[in-house]
Amino acid sequence: MPADSISRMDSNGSGGEANPPENLLGTSPGASSLRSRTESESSDKLTRFVLPSMDGSPPKVLTLNEVGDVLKNIQNMELVHEIAINPEFKFEPYEPPENSLERRIKDIMHKAFWDVLRGELNENPPRYDYALQLLAEIKDCFPQIISQNNTRALQHINEILDIDVLKQQAEEGVLDFRAYANFVIQIMAKSCAPARDEMVRQLTEITDVVDTFKNILETMALMKLDMVNCLLDFARNDIMANSVEYEKKKFKEYLEYYKFGFPATENWLKNSCAHDVNNVPSTPEQTISNAYMQLMDWDESMEFPEVLSVDKERILKLGQRAKRICTCAAVISICSGVPIISQRTENRVALAKQIEIILQGTTNKKELLDSIENVWLQVKTVITGYLQKENQPIMDTNTEDLLKSQIMQAGNKDSPVGQLMWKRFQTYFRLALRSRAGLPPPPPGYADFQDELEAYTTALKRVIAYNHSVFGEYFMRVLTQQPFASSAATVTTSDAGAAGGTTAKEQDSADNAAAAATAEQKAEQSQ
């Protein structure tokens, strides 16, 4: 039956009526692909899994159900985490990869169904076995795309698509398959989102009745997805309000099974402990803040902290985004040495946008460095054009060579300009990380990229603040060797809101550091 695309969002993969509000928290992408075992394949009563011990304590024996519960909790936590972290999160239709075995099997099964349906309808007299099955499944789908409060519409659908009546009509040879298709389309037209109006209208233009129903199912699958995302939007605020406590609870439950620590996380934290000129180590709060700063440019040769693994891909992409912004700022700062750029604000702004466009598609360091050549060519063309427009002499060879040499090094943070711009970037982000109010003004060289700078800062700060709310207590436990449940080691959610992990006791020192960083920015601007 080709309705798997319609029923895929069900928590159990069945085609029956779902309860979307519960599914939002009870299902994670890919969960429907898990294969359930029957009692004949493997008995849960007999199967046991041993969680090995690493601290000398006796190993813990888990049943298959307990293992399943752990995995389900992790899946649920990942889904809630994604909803809370990503304000643009939406459920997307699932399609097997091209040329995959799953895709080939799906295509074969679907083609077989529609071929059999067409063959039955072309018989003389027609047979309606598959047609009845199709209408029954469409009837079951309507409660998933129409609000449960719309009882009159659902009652009307149940009356028209009454299975007993349909069977009787089929037995008497008077079942009008086209008329039922038109009825279904009418209901869909009244129930769909405005974005689907044209798609539903096109259903009325299909003359072949089998193709009509085939497209009805595909459209209903999208309408069901629209309903799920609509419910998600309504539930998002509640999910976000409770997600931190939910993840903290699940994390503690996980630690009940796994008490052996997280080596990469512990190394990440402990290696972030700095010492001042008097060799006094930083406080745990300062160490956590230093650790968060490392996420701006994570060294991929190091093992990523286990507890942040859900956000690893997001953090690494943000790191590449930071490199792009820094490179753009470095290039425009170099170009500001040319009067036609520094003395013409409109020229500088236009060139900055062009540089940003050239680099925006780069996804790794190699691509970024490879694109610098194109940046230089664009800079040369633009500056030459501006000079010719104002009847000024074009750059001489020495000036051009010097400008090219500096720009070609702009993507390297070890270059003088790269070092300066990265230092300013880090100072800005540290200020933003500690700020309980809005974002600070952009540092020198970044004014033309303020929107991108603030978008990046907001995104990474959101990731850090959320994870700190969930794992801050555990981080303090690692750095202070306190028991996990100790109230003395607890970092409150309000502290995490600053995303810097500073307690009230440490806030004065943080404010002093912020003031010093601000003074440094002003000094640079005056130079």
Side-chain angles (χ1 to χ4, degrees), residues 134-148:
L134 180 59
L135 290 172
E137 182 132 5
I138 289 175
K139 177 185 175 181
D140 290 338
C141 283
F142 271 117
Q144 301 172 45
I145 63 176
I146 296 178
S147 171
Q148 296 295 319

Side-chain angles (χ1 to χ4, degrees), residues 3 245 268 357 383 408 453 503 508 523 526:
E245 291 304 318
W268 167 59
I357 291 172
I383 292 178
M408 293 301 292
L453 177 67
T503 62
D508 289 342
S526 64

Side-chain angles (χ1 to χ4, degrees), residues 25 28 44 69 82 85 132-133 151 154 170 194 199 307 327 344 406 419 421 438 469 486 489 507 510:
L25 294 179
S28 62
D44 290 353
D69 288 340
E82 184 65 26
I85 288 289
L132 292 174
Q133 186 179 352
T151 55
L154 293 174
M199 186 177 297
V307 298
T327 302
R344 307 285 191 277
Q406 291 179 332
Q419 284 182 336
M421 301 313 294
S469 298
S486 173
Q507 188 60 39

